[in-house]
Structures are given as structure tokens and as C-alpha cells.
Amino acid sequence: MTEKKWVYLFSEVEAAEKAVGGDWEDVRALLGGKGSGLADMTRANVPVPPGFTVTTEACNAYLNADEKFPPGMWEQELASMRYVEGATGKKFGDVSNPLLVSCRSGAKFSMPGMMDTVLNIGLNDETAKGIAKQTGDDRFVYDAYRRLLEMFGEVVLGIPDEAFEGPMDEYKEEKGVKSDTELSAEDWKNLVEKFKVVVREHLGFDFPQDPYEQLRLATEAVFKSWFGKRAVDYRNAAGIAHDLGTGVNIQTMVFGNMGWDSGTGVAFTRDPATGEAIMYGDYLMNAQGEDVVAGIRNTEKIANLEKDMPAAFQEFVEICDKLERHYTDMQDVEFTIEQNKLWMLQTRTGKRTAKAAVKIAVDMVNEGLISKEEGIIRVQPDDVDTLLHPQFDLGAIEAARKAGTLYASGVNASPGAAVGQVYFDADTAERMAKEEGQDVIMVRPFTKPDDVHGMLAAKGILTSEGGATSHAAVVARQFGVPCVVGAAMIRIDLEKRQMSVDGNVVKNGEWISVDGTTGEVFIGQISTIAPTLEEQTDLLTLLSWADEISATPGIRTAPDGWPTTGLQVWANADYPADARRARSYGAVGIGLCRTEHMFFEQERLPTVQRMILADTSAERKSALDELLPFQRSDFEGLFEAMDGYPVIIRLIDPPLHEFLPSEEELLEEVITMRVKGETLGLAEKEDLLDHVKALHESNPMMGLRGIRLSIMMPEIVEMQVRAIFEAAANVTLKGVHALPEVMIPLTGTVNELNVIQPSLEQIAKEVMQDKGVEFPYKFGTMIEIPRAAVTAGEIADVAEFFSFGTNDLTQMTYGYSRDDAERNFLLKYVEDGILPKNPFQTIDRDGVGRLMEMCVSEGRKNRTDLEVGICGEHGGDPDSIEFCYSIGQNYVSCSPFRIPIARLSAAHAALKYKGVAIMTDN
Ligand code: ADP
Ligand code: MG
Ligand code: MG
């Protein structure tokens, strides 16, 4: 039996592919993102320093075996070292020509800064002398050695960073120097000795001089870091599984700090903030990798590298281009130039803002690099949400500038507007956001992986150090948090919990406004506005492709009569203005118009109340006659706005008491009048109070409302149906294509529909006859009571369409009243995992969803072309939209502002379920 392979050379990518069965995603899982990228680049003849990857499987085996290397792993690691020695002509631990390596973690998904790299492994007192002799550069060697002591001490041996920073600062102060560049070879030598003492004092043993011991300890440290707190926190926040494990990459060191013909940098192949197709990044001459990210020295823009090192730059541009075409996506790369020779150290798909995600997807489709389908998949519904989120009102910004509240400016690292109260550490920021419900801005000199929880809780992030590729910037972009970094004029005093610019102090808890789009920071609260969709041309293009996908005939595999194009997106709109907006956002129907909103308007409410309080049917009818013209003109506006598209109008739904003053309020007024002896109007008030008392119900949600109210008091819905059809007839005569659909709420049994629907249809026919016009129309019902879902077959015999009211359906399926549940226990349920999600935000597929699925298929058994949609809040939730697609609904209806998100989600669902037959009970 051949031994299990735990280690793959970078040049063995084919063997790795074979081991996992050929799928690249599985290679990434086995070698990790960094390792598979290095191997893939090696295969493509990109210059990569030789090395190898210890697999994620080895990591898991180690962690599952009480932290012992699996049998054979260490021997394979040693054998691979032999290979690297051969490839480089150097020898690990050799005194005259020593090989140095880095040890780098890398899991399947990149976790910026989560697990730390150790550079210069293989240096010790002897090899240091060897390299010094080889290079003739003592300063370089002892700088590298003290870096190893520091990194190894912190990352592998767990010594706190202050333990090294303290002696270093002291030393510099003694010498009277500010910057590291002023330190000489002798200084670094002295610091090496001081750092050795730090290790000994902290651990009681010496820094391991044996290179193999260094290698072994470093490998183990990477394995262990998989379950370090910050890695676990990050995975929880990003939804990454905990059983993937990390790979360990051992790679020949190359040096960007070997003089002024060397350098190092990081770059994105496109601008990760805007998506523009220009190279974006920073580099430093004569520096080692971490210096760029750490923001210790001021970096240069990548474009300037062309002047500094034309040949290397040219090669770099060509490699970037090749990598982008190979991966067909924007890449985030690391490189080092050692004495004019370019080396690539990492490539991965670059994180980007929502804006960049959309632009890059659209551009790459237009460049022929990816298909429209791929372009759609690359953009997430959340990205669209972010793009439609508030930005600062330009007028308000101008005013703030004039008022002199511009406080500082830095690098615009992650766009968007954030207004909040400042806190200077992650724990406080998180606490204030979560416990006090405050809008929080987290301010730090720079951020580290331990700060991520505070950054996620914050509305915005501000740092005084670091650049566009610093930790704060990368994390902020990934999570869509507005962020300004490197606002160098700000002095942060962590002890006093305040910051200042030229003596202008902002304290803990004070308000600031951070503009991640421009990089500016203002004191106080600046008002924001929602951006318009029309301005976002790339997004509009992308959404038009999404609609094309959804509208493709046959994209959905479903039984005869069921929709075989994708899910349509309709809107909930009560007024013509809402309908117009909905249409401009791409809605192709109105799924819910709530007529009672029209009753609440000031001039109408008294008439509505008179109608409710009427003692006879004749009195009631006369009040309703007054309301009819109002409703009719509202409906005319809706039909005109939605010319050619269906408009579903729901008949009155809430209990009548909602249109009357509250009982307590009235009682108080009556008592006050009686006490004061006022008589004018008292009798009317008392009468009203009696009526309100008579309407009192102990559980109005389950009382006289919806279809039940219509049966008890048919005059209201009769008026409404008349208004709907008169309106439709009037606009039809004007040439508008009206498609009214009358929706009866809260049906529980088909018998209810049998009582009310025929008489309403009769009114519809009469109106059309009187007006002498005909147009298509439908009568249907909402499905919000579990019994209706269960008896959907019978109900479909009468109703021509169903619309899920998933708010009520969820309430009644769980037996929760939403307000009470969300106030009293739902949060705890979700936190404790009793419920996976808030079922009022995302459809509970197992319970409520099961009812819906059954309802659709039972309904279509009796009426094949039954139109089915959803009009609850869930209609704008991506996960729920996918579910609605999967059970064969015709459309989702959501608030106008969610329409772009719903259109993208519907296309995602269509692509995900392409070729998958819908399950039916048939
Ligand atoms: P991270 O995942 O935090 O980016 P990396 O493993 O990529 O960690 O390494 C941190 C820094 O060290 C990067 O700038 C990287 O380019 C540099 N680096 C890693 N390995 C080497 C090496 N063998 N030679 C030179 N620089 C290296
Ligand atoms: Mg890296
Ligand atoms: Mg309802």
C-alpha cells in the first residue's frame, strides 16, 4: 500500500488534481487557497519561489489526533525540503550557503490576516554568519534575523508583541533615532541579542537554533491557529465551515530588502473600490513584504514602479494580465523583486466593494471574459442592497464644509456614508452597538484581526494609519462597512479615549460622520440620501441581463400549466406614485394594493367612521357612496401607472376598530367632559364610545376581519369592487390596458368564498355591461390561514389566483403573534439556535414552506393555470425568493425599494435550479 500523501510540491499540482478527482474547488480545499494558487502559478510558468504545501487533511489529522503529526507527514516534509534544496542549490541549515524559508498558512477561503506568516526560518547564529559572508551585507542579515526572532516569538511561541516592541523602542530612544532605516548592522546585532533574552525570559528556554526544530514548531503553530479565537470569530462572521482546516506553505525566501534594486508590493488587477480596469496597489523599494501591509513606511502607487524598475514592471503587468484571464476574475497579488528579479508570492480573487463587483462583472461580460450568467452569479443581492443604501446629501456636505466641521481626511477605503458615535476599541464599539443600540464608529490607529467583532458591529471605521490594502480597509470592503484609513492628521489617545486634530478634541461617544466614498471625516451628524437607481448604469445593465435570464422560456422545469419561465417580480404599492416608482425599478405587476390605506386619509376618515357607525344598511350605503369616487380615482391612477400589467387589489382586511379612536382615549375624554360639566358634544362622544366598546374583541387578529367582515357587512366590499371595475372601465375607454385582479383576504374555508365571490363577480359584470367595455380580470384569495393552504384544492375551484400572505401565515403556523414574539423571545430563540433564523424575515421552509409547497401543487391539480405569488415581506428576501421559485410560484411581490434585489435573486434562483424539476405531489 502506498503511503498517504500529506505534502505536495508546488510543482505537483497535477498529482493534487488526480488525488481529488480533478475538480479545482477540491484542490483548493486540499491545498488551501494560497497553496493551490502558488501551485497553479507554478504550472503556468509564472516565477514562484520553490516550495511545497502540507495539506489541510494533514491539519485535520493533526488536530484530531491530540496534536500529533499523522504518520509519514514529517518525513514527507523533510523529503520536500530536499527537493527545494535541489531546486535552489542551497541547503537548509548549511553554514556557507543556507536555505531560508517562510511558513505561511492558507485555508480554502482567504481570511485576511487570520493566521500569521513567519519569514526567514532557517536563520540562526551560524547561518546568519554564512549569509553575511555571502552577501557582504550584515545589516540586511541581522535585520532579517531579528525579524525571525520577533515573528517566531510572537506567532509560534506566543510571546506578546509588546515584549519585543518595548526593548526596540527603548533602544531607538537611547540611540536617538526615529526610523528603523537609521539603524545600522551593529544595532540589529545588538537587538538580536536583546530579543533572544526576551525569548528566554518569557519561556525559560532559548530560541531554537536548530532550523528543523524551527520548521516543525512553525508547522504546528499554523495547524493550531485554525482554532485560534480570532480565526473562529472570523469564520463565524463570514459563514465558513470549521472543519476545512488550513494548509501550511513552506516557501523559499526571496528578499525585497536586498538594496535599492529590490522591492515588494501588493496589487489588485482592477480597482477594488470602483471596479475600474486599472491596476491598483502599493509597493516599497528595499523592503520586506509585511512592511507594505503594516503601513509602517509610506508606500508608492503601483503605477510608479514603471519608472523605478521598467523591466520588472513590464513582466509584472503581463503576469497580472495572464492571471486575470486564467482565473477570469480580478486578482489580488503579492510580489517581491529581489535584485531586479520578479517573484510572485500570492494570487487570489480580490475582495471588492459592491460597486466594483457590479462594474467588474459587467465589464468582464463585455470583454468576453465571462458569460452573462457568470456575471449575474458574481454579484450578490447584498451588493445591490449596499448600492441603494444611503450616501451623504451633497448639499449637507457642502454646508458642513462651510461651517468648518470638516475634521480630517484619509484614504477612501470602503465607500458609503456612516454617521455614529465614536469608540476607541472593538469591545466597547461592539457593546455600545449591541446593548445600547447605538450607531457606532470605531476609531483605531490601525486594526488587527482581534478587532473584527467591533468592526462588524460598527456603522463605520476610521484609522489614522495604514493604506488601501491595510487590514481595516480589506475587512471593511468585504463586509460593506464605510471606512476611511490613514487619516494621519488625527492623533488618537487610547488612554484618554479621545482623538484630536490640531487641538480639536473628539471624545468617546461624540458624533462624527465618515464618508468612505471621499475619505472625509466630519464632526457631527450629516444627513444622508438614498441614491437613485437610474444613476447606476452598470447595475441597470446587470439587472436587464437578470430579467433576460428569468424570462427565458423553459428555464424552469415544471409540469404542464406551471410557469416554465423564471419568477417575475411584482411590487406592493398602495398609491399611484408607488406604482410608478415600482415600475421604474422594474416591477411587472402590482402584487398587493392595500385599499384600507385609502380609508385613513384625513378627508375620508370621518366618512369611513360614519359608515362604520351606521345603524342601518341604508345609512351605511350612503356613506359608502361618498367613498366610492375616492377609491375609483385611486384605482384609475394605479391602472394608468401599470398600463399592461396586472394589478392585484386587496379588499378591506383589518378589523373596523382600527378606523376608530381607541377606547381608552375616548373614555378619558368622556370622563373629563363629565367632570368639567361640559355637555356640548358629550352625547355623541358617549355614543361613539358605546360603538367602540361593542366592536371590542379580545384577539382582533383572529376576529372580525378580512373575508369574515365582508360576509357580515358586504356593503363595503361591494363598493370596493364597483370602484375597481368602474376605474378599470374608465381607463380602458381611454386606451389604457387595465388588468384588475380582486383579492379576498383571510379565507379559511372555500364556503366563505362561495358566499361572497359570486356576488362580487356579478357586480363586475354589471359594471362592464353598463360601461360597454370588456377587459380580462381575476378573482382570487390570499393564503394566510393554514387551513386554506391545506384545502387549497377546493379553494382553487373558486379562486383564480393565490397570493401568500406569509406574515399572517407564519404567525398562524407557529402560533406566534409577531409583535409579541419579536419583542419577547424571538431574538433569544435565534441566538440560542432554537430557530435557525427569524421566520418573519426568511421563510421557514420546513414548516410554513411545506404548507406553501403543498398549497401550490394541490391548487394546480384543480386549476392548472392557477397564478401563485407572495405579497408578504418575505417577497424581498433573497433566500425566500429562491424558495418561492423552487415551489413553482409565478411571481414575488415586494416593496418597491427591494425590487432590484428581488430581480437579481430571481435570476440567481433560475440559474441555481436550471434543469432541476420542481417537486410536486402529483
Ligand atoms: P497573509 O495571508 O497575511 O497575506 P502571507 O503568507 O501572504 O500572509 O505573507 C505575509 C507577507 O510575507 C506577504 O507580504 C508575503 O508576500 C510575504 N512573504 C511570504 N512568504 C515569502 C517568501 N517566501 N519570500 C518573501 N516574502 C514572503
Ligand atoms: Mg498574503
Ligand atoms: Mg394578512
Side-chain angles (χ1 to χ4, degrees), residues 34 38 49-50 100-106 110-120 151 249-256 264-266 288-293 333-336 338 343-346 348:
K34 203 176 277 164
L38 290 166
L100 302 186
V101 296
S102 65
C103 173
R104 321 170 66 190
S105 63
S110 80
M111 307 181 192
M114 282 291 116
M115 287 170 268
D116 297 323
T117 292
V118 180
L119 302 177
N120 307 337
M151 279 189 268
N249 302 289
I250 305 297
Q251 184 170 30
T252 307
M253 282 301 303
V254 290
F255 296 97
T264 184
V266 294
Q288 216 171 24
E290 357 126 63
D291 301 348
V292 178
V293 192
V333 299
E334 289 172 8
F335 66 94
T336 283
E338 180 182 297
W343 294 100
M344 298 301 288
L345 287 166
Q346 188 168 343
R348 62 182 165 198

Side-chain angles (χ1 to χ4, degrees), residues 174-377:
E174 257 169 49
K175 286 261 156 181
V177 303
K178 282 216 178 75
S179 150
D180 289 3
T181 48
E182 297 169 57
L183 293 175
S184 68
E186 210 46 45
D187 293 327
W188 289 127
K189 262 188 200 162
N190 293 336
L191 278 164
V192 163
E193 292 312 316
K194 284 185 190 293
F195 283 2
K196 284 190 200 162
V197 173
V198 170
V199 173
R200 196 178 312 127
E201 279 180 351
H202 267 82
L203 301 169
F205 58 81
D206 284 325
F207 168 77
Q209 290 285 320
D210 176 1
Y212 286 99
E213 182 67 0
Q214 295 173 6
L215 184 68
R216 191 178 60 78
L217 288 170
T219 305
E220 283 196 67
V222 173
F223 284 166
K224 284 183 194 157
S225 71
W226 178 253
F227 279 119
K229 181 181 162 12
R230 55 190 202 181
V232 172
D233 283 352
Y234 184 89
R235 289 200 294 275
N236 284 337
I240 296 173
H242 292 294
D243 61 357
L244 294 171
T246 174
V248 182
N249 302 289
I250 305 297
Q251 184 170 30
T252 307
M253 282 301 303
V254 290
F255 296 97
N257 53 341
M258 270 202 167
W260 295 100
D261 57 357
S262 303
T264 184
V266 294
F268 291 84
T269 55
R270 300 189 186 214
D271 186 330
T274 65
E276 253 180 287
I278 45 166
M279 187 97 70
Y280 178 95
D282 312 296
Y283 75 99
L284 276 172
M285 297 302 285
N286 200 4
Q288 216 171 24
E290 357 126 63
D291 301 348
V292 178
V293 192
I296 294 168
R297 275 164 56 190
N298 284 332
T299 54
E300 288 286 327
K301 293 247 167 305
I302 197 79
N304 297 342
L305 185 64
E306 185 165 17
K307 273 183 273 140
D308 277 340
M309 303 187 113
F313 181 75
Q314 190 53 38
E315 189 185 358
F316 179 65
V317 169
E318 277 160 25
I319 288 172
C320 285
D321 201 43
K322 187 165 164 180
L323 289 173
E324 205 180 66
R325 271 183 284 117
H326 179 66
Y327 292 106
T328 65
D329 206 348
M330 182 256 267
Q331 297 295 296
D332 165 1
V333 299
E334 289 172 8
F335 66 94
T336 283
I337 299 165
E338 180 182 297
Q339 301 184 318
N340 287 315
K341 163 82 183 130
L342 174 70
W343 294 100
M344 298 301 288
L345 287 166
Q346 188 168 343
T347 188
R348 62 182 165 198
T349 299
K351 306 233 185 293
R352 62 205 75 183
T353 63
K355 186 175 175 177
V358 172
K359 177 155 176 58
I360 291 172
V362 170
D363 283 355
M364 287 194 166
V365 171
N366 289 334
E367 289 162 24
L369 223 50
I370 57 174
S371 65
K372 284 182 184 172
E373 285 79 2
E374 182 59 30
I376 293 288
I377 289 168

Side-chain angles (χ1 to χ4, degrees), residues 650 653 705 746 782 784 805 808:
R650 180 177 70 181
D653 183 45
R705 54 175 284 220
L746 227 63
M782 284 185 82
E784 13 182 13
D808 273 328

